[in-house]
């Protein structure tokens, strides 16, 4: 069956969960969770699976695969709200979802965010990345990948380090190596696009994924 987009019932459920973020309300509305969050997320990911495969991204309609769980890990957080009132979808470069580079889509009650990359590069990969950035041709190619991400409004997060790491001199491009993660994302909250709720939903997501995927594949090879 053709995919006709996300239902407004999904964002209505997310808005209600945001206002009633407690276990009692969640259990009382479990049927809505099943229909308007779990099944809705799976349907979207299933519709994306074929087009994603064509650009070497995995879209698996399962919890802890392409669909992040709604339950928050509050063990080390001051925020003890038990649920995430968003639909978080991962289009991954490998089977270890959320542990390898990928494209991330986040649908909230009123906003739509997306980005790509990898959080917390392993030490060896980080050193390889910093050395490769010192090569002008490699750096120019990497900056070209960043320019593709800018086409859909995604830019590198601010660098984590104030100064270049040990062994690297200050330069006009050291913002590229003053970091421990490689993440581009759309900055600020943006309204939900109309196309997400219609037959153009898959094409809209794939347009974003195509702009970000060259960067995710580059990072995957780095790892």
């Amino acid at each position: 069956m053709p995919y006709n987009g996300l239902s407004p019932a999904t964002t209505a459920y997310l808005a209600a969960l945001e206002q009633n973020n407690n276990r009692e309300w969640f259990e009382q509305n479990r049927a809505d969770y099943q229909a308007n969050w779990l099944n809705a997320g799976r349907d979207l990911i299933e519709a994306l699976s074929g087009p994603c495969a064509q650009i070497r991204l995995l879209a698996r309609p399962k919890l802890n695969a392409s669909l992040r769980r709604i339950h928050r890990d509050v063990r080390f957080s001051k925020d003890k709200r038990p649920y995430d009132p968003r639909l978080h979808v991962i289009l991954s470069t490998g089977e270890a979802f959320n542990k390898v580079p990928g494209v991330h889509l986040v649908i909230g009650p009123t906003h739509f965010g997306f980005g790509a990359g990898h959080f917390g590069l392993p030490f060896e990969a980080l050193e390889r990345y910093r050395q490769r950035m010192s090569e002008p041709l490699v750096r120019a190619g990497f900056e070209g990948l960043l320019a593709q991400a800018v086409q859909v409004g995604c830019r590198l997060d601010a660098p984590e380090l104030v100064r270049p790491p040990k062994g690297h001199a200050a330069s006009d491009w050291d913002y590229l190596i003053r970091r421990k993660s490689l993440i581009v994302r759309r900055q600020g909250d943006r309204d939900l696009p109309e196309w997400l709720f219609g037959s153009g939903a898959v094409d809209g997501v794939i347009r974003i994924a195509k702009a970000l995927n060259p960067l995710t594949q580059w990072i995957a090879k780095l790892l």
Side-chain angles (χ1 to χ4, degrees):
M1 293 180 61
Y3 183 70
N4 293 316
L6 203 65
S7 169
T10 292
T11 51
Y13 172 76
L14 294 174
L17 177 60
E18 188 172 52
Q19 295 298 315
N20 303 276
N21 202 325
N22 60 78
R23 290 180 176 82
E24 182 179 4
W25 185 91
F26 184 84
E27 291 301 329
Q28 289 174 351
N29 293 272
R30 181 167 282 277
D32 284 341
Y33 157 77
Q34 184 78 33
N36 299 319
W37 190 92
L38 184 59
N39 291 345
R42 286 172 172 168
D43 289 346
L44 172 59
I45 296 164
E46 180 65 35
L48 291 168
S49 60
C52 279
Q54 295 178 12
I55 57 173
R56 294 189 298 154
L57 285 174
L58 298 178
R60 296 275 172 79
K62 296 180 180 180
L63 285 173
N64 291 330
S66 283
L67 187 58
R68 288 283 299 272
R69 296 180 66 86
I70 199 170
H71 298 81
R72 297 180 64 247
D73 184 352
V74 300
R75 291 174 298 172
F76 308 107
S77 174
K78 292 182 180 180
D79 183 354
K80 298 301 181 182
R81 291 175 295 178
Y83 307 106
D84 184 359
R86 305 178 302 171
L87 197 61
H88 188 157
V89 173
I90 303 171
L91 310 176
S92 179
T93 57
E95 294 286 348
F97 286 82
N98 206 39
K99 294 183 180 180
V100 295
V103 175
H104 292 244
L105 312 169
V106 179
I107 301 165
T110 60
H111 64 273
F112 177 50
F114 49 84
H118 188 72
F119 181 80
L121 291 171
F123 177 78
E124 295 81 4
L126 190 58
E127 285 300 303
R128 284 197 299 272
Y129 165 72
R130 289 168 174 168
Q131 291 297 330
R132 296 196 70 187
M133 287 300 100
S134 68
E135 303 171 28
L137 289 179
V138 175
R139 186 169 69 251
F142 183 75
E143 290 174 332
L145 301 180
L146 296 179
Q148 290 185 53
V150 170
Q151 292 177 5
V152 291
C154 290
R155 290 174 170 79
L156 275 173
D157 279 357
E160 296 99 325
L161 305 178
V162 176
R163 298 178 181 83
K166 185 177 180 180
H168 297 271
S171 66
D172 59 356
W173 51 266
D174 65 19
Y175 71 96
L176 291 173
I177 60 172
R178 288 188 289 111
R179 54 187 70 248
K180 299 178 181 179
S181 302
L182 287 176
I183 297 172
V184 296
R185 72 179 88 202
R186 197 177 187 183
Q187 302 297 326
D189 289 341
R190 304 293 180 93
D191 291 342
L192 290 161
E194 291 185 8
W195 54 258
L196 195 57
F197 300 92
S199 58
V202 170
D203 288 343
V205 170
I206 294 301
R207 178 180 64 85
I208 293 167
K210 283 182 175 179
L212 300 178
N213 189 43
L215 177 63
T216 63
Q217 298 293 340
W218 190 93
I219 299 172
K221 290 180 180 178
L222 179 74
L223 296 175

